[in-house]
Amino acid sequence: MAYETILVETQNAIARVTLNRPDTLNAMNQTMIGELTEVFTGLAGQSDVRAVVVTGAGRAFSSGGDIRGMLAAAPETAAEAVTAMIERVNGMVLALYNLPQPVIAAINGPAHGLGMSLTLAADYRIAAMSASFSQAFIRIGLVPDGGGTFLLPRIVGWACATDLMLTGRTVPAGEAKTIGLVHQTVADAEFANTVQLCAQQFAAAPTQAIARTKALLRSSKNADFATQLNHERDHQAACATTHDFREGVTAFIEKRPPVFTGR
């Protein structure tokens, strides 16, 4: 299917979603937000997709939300207009966050404002050395959105998240790795190959076990210890019924690499 602001390609069980407004550094307008929501929602039900990569076209991941439209609203209607826009943003971020497949944010350049928030909703973040990050909202008199106030403190810690959100300063890729914002940083020349190898690794993994591990990590944010132990029990019991579990044990006994199929 052709989209106006994004590119979607699926090959070898890997779906690649590319933000494709390079002339605006992939600023997310309402069309892009709607198209991303549609794609992320659809991918959740595609059992043949076992890994998802989200990246940007050109030299940026995303400069953030396309805020020019916000100025079009009169002051007396601005709150209503922004509320409607953020509701759409929330739907997009939730659709990405709730994907059962492992999601890689391949951050090829600046990821600022909402662009940074979108990367936080992914499971694994790989940054090119030319990438940078900023919670730029404060610079224009706004608060962080796109789930940043929930996700960022859980990723980098309370003190660091406070620093980034209250200053809006730009974080280069090297510092992003140091503070735990990204999992890997790689030279620009090696970026595409590193992302592809990582996506292939996830796509070859036991898909249901990954989905249930994601669910357990999310539930641990709010559950007490005893409740989380019960969640682990239930998910483990479900994994024990899968073909991939049987294949994994058989391969271990036979001393060979397992061949998981996602079943």
Side-chain angles (χ1 to χ4, degrees):
M1 180 176 179
Y3 293 96
E4 182 180 334
T5 65
I6 63 175
L7 302 173
V8 182
E9 177 187 15
T10 301
Q11 188 174 19
N12 298 325
I14 301 167
R16 177 178 292 269
V17 181
T18 304
L19 283 59
N20 190 36
R21 299 183 69 212
D23 54 322
T24 66
L25 299 183
N26 302 317
M28 285 180 266
N29 60 10
Q30 295 306 305
T31 300
M32 180 182 284
I33 290 167
E35 291 181 344
L36 287 172
T37 304
E38 178 183 330
V39 169
F40 295 151
T41 301
L43 286 173
Q46 294 186 25
S47 59
D48 58 327
V49 172
R50 299 175 62 191
V52 177
V53 176
V54 182
T55 192
R59 63 185 182 90
F61 180 84
S62 173
S63 59
D66 193 340
I67 62 174
R68 291 179 178 84
M70 295 171 64
L71 296 177
E76 60 271 17
T77 62
E80 180 180 345
V82 170
T83 296
M85 181 186 72
I86 297 302
E87 288 289 350
R88 290 189 286 271
V89 167
N90 292 349
M92 173 189 69
V93 174
L94 277 172
L96 177 61
Y97 184 75
N98 288 331
L99 279 173
Q101 300 97 330
V103 179
I104 301 168
I107 306 146
N108 55 303
H112 294 179
L114 180 57
M116 178 177 172
S117 296
L118 191 66
T119 72
L120 302 178
D123 302 300
Y124 201 85
R125 286 169 290 281
I126 303 175
M129 289 305 297
S130 59
S132 62
F133 301 83
S134 173
Q135 285 285 287
F137 304 93
I138 199 70
R139 297 181 190 173
I140 56 171
L142 293 176
V143 300
D145 60 30
T149 59
F150 180 88
L151 295 169
L152 188 59
R154 288 166 168 80
I155 293 170
V156 301
W158 189 275
C160 188
T162 301
D163 168 33
L164 299 183
M165 289 181 169
L166 295 189
T167 67
R169 68 181 181 88
T170 299
V171 177
E175 183 183 354
K177 178 65 168 63
T178 299
I179 65 177
L181 181 58
V182 300
H183 298 85
Q184 292 188 57
T185 54
V186 294
D188 287 24
E190 302 170 6
F191 177 72
N193 186 56
T194 299
V195 170
Q196 181 64 21
L197 290 174
C198 183
Q200 289 172 349
Q201 178 181 352
F202 282 137
T207 308
Q208 292 190 48
I210 285 183
R212 292 182 178 279
T213 300
K214 288 177 61 168
L216 284 167
L217 287 169
R218 273 80 188 271
S219 67
S220 73
K221 294 173 181 176
N222 300 307
D224 59 51
F225 187 44
T227 300
Q228 187 67 10
L229 287 172
N230 289 336
H231 290 329
E232 290 177 351
R233 175 201 62 205
D234 295 343
H235 282 290
Q236 197 74 294
C239 283
T241 68
T242 65
H243 176 276
D244 280 346
F245 166 69
R246 293 191 295 275
E247 165 61 14
V249 173
T250 301
F252 177 81
I253 293 171
E254 296 176 353
K255 295 182 171 53
R256 61 172 175 81
V259 180
F260 296 120
T261 61
R263 297 183 289 117

